[in-house]
Amino acid sequence: MKTYREFEIWKNVSDEQWTDWKWQISHCISTLGELSEIVSLSPQEYEGVEKATKALKMRISPHIALMMANGDKEDTLRCQFVPSINEVKTADIDILYKDVNDDDGYSPVKGLVHRYPSKVLVFPSNFCGCYCRYCFRRKLKRDVEDVLKTSDYEAILAYLREHPQINEVIFSGGDPLVVGNEVFRYVLQELSNISSVKIVRFHTRMIITIPYRIDDDFIELLNEFKKRFAIYVVIHIDTIREFSLEARNAVGKLVDSGIMCFASCPLLHGINDSEETLKTLWNGLVENRVKPYYLFQSDPVQGLGHFLVPLSRGLEITRNLYDNISGLAMPLYCFNVPEGGGHVLITYPYIKQIGEHTFELTNFEGKVTTYQELTWNEE
């Protein structure tokens, strides 16, 4: 197992720098030259970095780059973070969409998306600790990395005050945790004065890509406000391979402080589209006190065609896993409906109505039972 100092690019980096999340963000790998110093690239990967980064630039944290350096050429981390020429080849397929969410159509003020009645998304930034090559928000302008200003937050807070039906604020993005603790201290303090807001969520990949982000100050910040809000952290993790010791330690800090952690992932061809891969991931998460929350059907976005998994295969995978793992480890399987349609649950037909009050029930072994519904008219 190589240490980071064995690489020329990092030979003068101190332990203090390496474990500083701000240093990690400011020293992400973004060029072909830098990446080739760390991992041995195939001709196809060279071509991908050269051509696919015109649409979505490359950004790989030192933490993830070191993990890739200690992996092999079939490492799923490379599929997730090294640009592929297939992004170019699938960029203009007509049946794929430029934007599945239509975030702009549901954004009344900058940085806020109000798609569902009682919750909103807030995007503190337009960039992440790493750029996943299957990102469905590829349309975000990342050539200039930007964060919300105080005036933007003031407009968001005003909107929340004007809409008391909103009880949940979800920080998403771009990864929200690329923003400093001082910003969240200000925003959470302001949110605490809006009585209708009861729940705060952080949806982040940083626990995986730069786990050092979960520092003592962040834990102290959450502890400061968890008496005012129900606070949850939702981790984006696709395979158990990503769950490094540092990531597990970050999760441990959160849950030991009383912050409940959930996890979500998209279903991705060649990365996690097998029963064994997902079973290992979800069991591993539960063992580390993280509840698998969402499995998303692959998003039909232009440039991502090579990641798409047939819906029928997704149903097969979830059907095969249901009742073969703990109920705690089984997430909801969802489809992100294109053109801003929102989430819909995807379920195997365990129950089928065959008469006015008669149903067929199919258990996980395929056994079919007929159920007659009782109708009761009290006189």
Side-chain angles (χ1 to χ4, degrees), residues 6 37 57 75 77 130 173 178 247 283 313 360 364 379:
E6 294 178 54
E37 285 187 50
K57 69 179 185 179
D75 194 343
L77 287 177
C130 285
V178 300
N283 280 337
R313 176 60 180 142
E360 279 187 354
F364 73 102
E379 296 181 359

Side-chain angles (χ1 to χ4, degrees), residues 27-258:
H27 288 80
C28 283
I29 305 303
S30 60
T31 68
L32 183 58
E34 290 172 326
L35 185 60
S36 61
E37 285 187 50
I38 301 162
V39 296
S40 178
L41 298 173
S42 68
Q44 292 80 11
E45 287 172 322
Y46 265 102
E47 185 181 18
V49 175
E50 288 178 337
K51 296 180 179 179
T53 48
K54 293 180 176 65
L56 174 63
K57 69 179 185 179
M58 179 174 67
R59 184 185 179 95
I60 303 173
S61 68
H63 173 77
I64 290 294
L66 180 60
M67 289 183 70
M68 287 197 298
N70 283 308
D72 55 35
K73 290 188 176 181
E74 304 304 317
D75 194 343
T76 53
L77 287 177
R78 294 168 82 123
C79 298
Q80 292 179 63
F81 298 111
V82 178
S84 166
I85 191 61
N86 288 325
E87 296 172 44
V88 178
K89 293 178 179 178
T90 65
D92 297 315
I93 296 177
D94 291 339
I95 63 171
L96 301 181
Y97 296 81
K98 289 185 178 179
D99 177 20
V100 294
N101 278 11
D102 189 24
D103 287 334
D104 293 342
Y106 293 95
S107 183
V109 297
K110 181 181 177 181
L112 180 142
V113 174
H114 189 185
R115 176 64 184 87
Y116 301 96
S118 64
K119 62 185 178 183
V120 295
L121 295 177
V122 173
F123 297 163
S125 75
N126 71 338
F127 68 101
C128 307
C130 285
Y131 289 154
C132 303
R133 303 316 303 178
Y134 50 82
C135 180
F136 67 88
R137 287 197 172 103
R138 293 172 72 86
K139 73 180 188 66
L140 281 178
K141 302 298 183 184
R142 293 184 172 96
D143 293 337
V144 177
E145 295 174 349
D146 194 18
V147 297
L148 294 182
K149 300 176 176 61
T150 301
S151 58
D152 299 320
Y153 285 116
E154 289 174 349
I156 289 170
L157 293 162
Y159 183 86
L160 293 173
R161 293 186 192 99
E162 294 164 3
H163 295 80
Q165 74 272 25
I166 298 168
N167 72 341
E168 184 172 11
V169 174
I170 303 169
F171 292 107
S172 186
D175 200 304
L177 292 191
V178 300
V179 172
N181 296 329
E182 65 283 356
V183 174
F184 285 117
R185 182 167 277 105
Y186 156 72
V187 177
L188 291 175
Q189 183 61 58
E190 293 298 317
L191 284 176
S192 70
N193 296 321
I194 303 176
S195 60
S196 53
V197 177
K198 307 292 186 183
I199 305 164
V200 171
R201 273 196 253 165
F202 293 88
H203 282 225
T204 182
R205 188 100 157 108
M206 288 279 278
I207 289 173
I208 301 304
T209 59
I210 306 179
Y212 312 109
R213 176 62 183 90
I214 310 303
D215 57 14
D216 292 342
D217 188 44
F218 185 67
I219 296 296
E220 181 181 337
L221 171 65
L222 298 187
N223 283 334
E224 183 180 337
F225 288 97
K226 71 182 182 183
K227 293 180 182 178
R228 169 60 181 83
F229 309 106
I231 298 178
Y232 302 91
V233 173
V234 181
I235 307 161
H236 175 173
I237 177 171
D238 303 323
T239 64
I240 203 68
R241 165 77 175 107
E242 301 151 55
F243 208 17
S244 64
L245 176 61
E246 294 84 357
R248 292 169 200 247
N249 288 340
V251 166
K253 285 184 180 181
L254 289 165
V255 294
D256 285 345
S257 296

Side-chain angles (χ1 to χ4, degrees), residues 267 273-275 309-318 320 333:
L267 187 60
D273 57 335
S274 76
E275 286 85 348
V309 178
L311 185 56
S312 57
R313 176 60 180 142
L315 279 165
E316 180 183 36
I317 290 171
T318 53
N320 290 341
Y333 183 27

Side-chain angles (χ1 to χ4, degrees), residues 263-280:
S264 67
C265 69
L267 187 60
L268 300 165
H269 176 65
I271 294 176
N272 62 7
D273 57 335
S274 76
E275 286 85 348
E276 188 58 34
T277 300
L278 290 175
K279 182 178 179 179
T280 302

